[in-house]
């Protein structure tokens, strides 16, 4: 496993045109198995999901996001595909639907960038247009392995 720094920037625009964004930086671990990249990190209090581990399963053209802990969720992103999931929180569950408009994955042996543009619906109602930018770079202690 390689130590990595994960930067996640998410933004959303709702029906009223109001835009919100959040940025989170966390230290994580990267490994590769069967040709797929995996990144594991702990969400921070900034994301509102403290106490949750996030695992990113990164393929050439898709991303699966798995959360376990205070929040439980599995979400799949692939261009022009729609996926559904249940977002479980201590306060209840939400049925999410994601329609991925575009996804761009550029990944080397440890570091990479993922850009996703998608629409979010909650319990069958459209909520927002969203972008998700995930940047993964080798921790400075891993410089010998940079790509």
């Amino acid at each position: 496993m390689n130590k990595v720094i994960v930067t996640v920037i998410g933004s959303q625009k709702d029906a009223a045109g109001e835009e919100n964004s959040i940025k989170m930086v966390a230290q994580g671990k990267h490994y590769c198995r069967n040709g797929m990249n995996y990144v594991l990190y702990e969400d921070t209090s900034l994301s509102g999901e403290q106490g949750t581990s996030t695992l990113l399963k990164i393929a050439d053209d898709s991303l699966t996001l798995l959360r376990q802990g205070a929040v439980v969720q599995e979400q799949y992103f692939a261009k022009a595909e729609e996926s559904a999931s249940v977002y479980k929180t201590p306060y209840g569950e939400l049925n999410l639907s994601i329609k991925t408009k575009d996804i761009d994955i550029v990944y080397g042996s440890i570091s990479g960038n993922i850009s996703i543009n998608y629409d979010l619906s909650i319990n069958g109602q459209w909520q927002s247009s969203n972008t998700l930018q995930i940047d993964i770079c080798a921790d400075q202690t891993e410089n010998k392995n940079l790509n």
Side-chain angles (χ1 to χ4, degrees), residues 46-120:
L46 289 176
S47 67
E49 295 173 355
Q50 190 171 9
T52 301
S53 296
T54 297
L55 176 66
L56 305 176
K57 296 166 92 176
I58 306 163
D60 290 338
D61 59 355
S62 66
L63 172 76
T64 302
L65 180 146
L66 298 143
R67 290 188 171 118
Q68 290 287 347
V71 170
V72 177
Q73 179 191 21
E74 179 175 340
Q75 194 64 61
Y76 178 74
F77 298 91
K79 186 173 183 170
E81 289 192 29
E82 191 165 340
S83 66
S85 70
V86 176
Y87 186 77
K88 298 177 183 176
T89 75
Y91 310 104
E93 297 180 357
L94 299 171
N95 293 309
L96 302 184
S97 177
I98 299 290
K99 184 171 184 179
T100 306
K101 296 186 226 175
D102 196 24
I103 185 168
D104 183 40
I105 299 173
V106 178
Y107 214 92
S109 60
I110 298 173
S111 301
N113 306 92
I114 304 162
S115 298
I116 306 172
N117 185 346
Y118 66 96
D119 282 337
L120 169 67

Side-chain angles (χ1 to χ4, degrees), residues 4 30 37 106-113 136-139 145-147:
V4 293
H30 166 272
N37 287 291
V106 178
Y107 214 92
S109 60
I110 298 173
S111 301
N113 306 92
I136 299 142
C137 63
D139 190 303
N145 296 320
L146 282 175
N147 52 6

Side-chain angles (χ1 to χ4, degrees), residues 113-132:
N113 306 92
I114 304 162
S115 298
I116 306 172
N117 185 346
Y118 66 96
D119 282 337
L120 169 67
S121 295
I122 300 175
N123 296 328
Q125 297 294 312
W126 183 86
Q127 295 296 307
S128 57
S129 286
N130 302 270
T131 59
L132 189 59

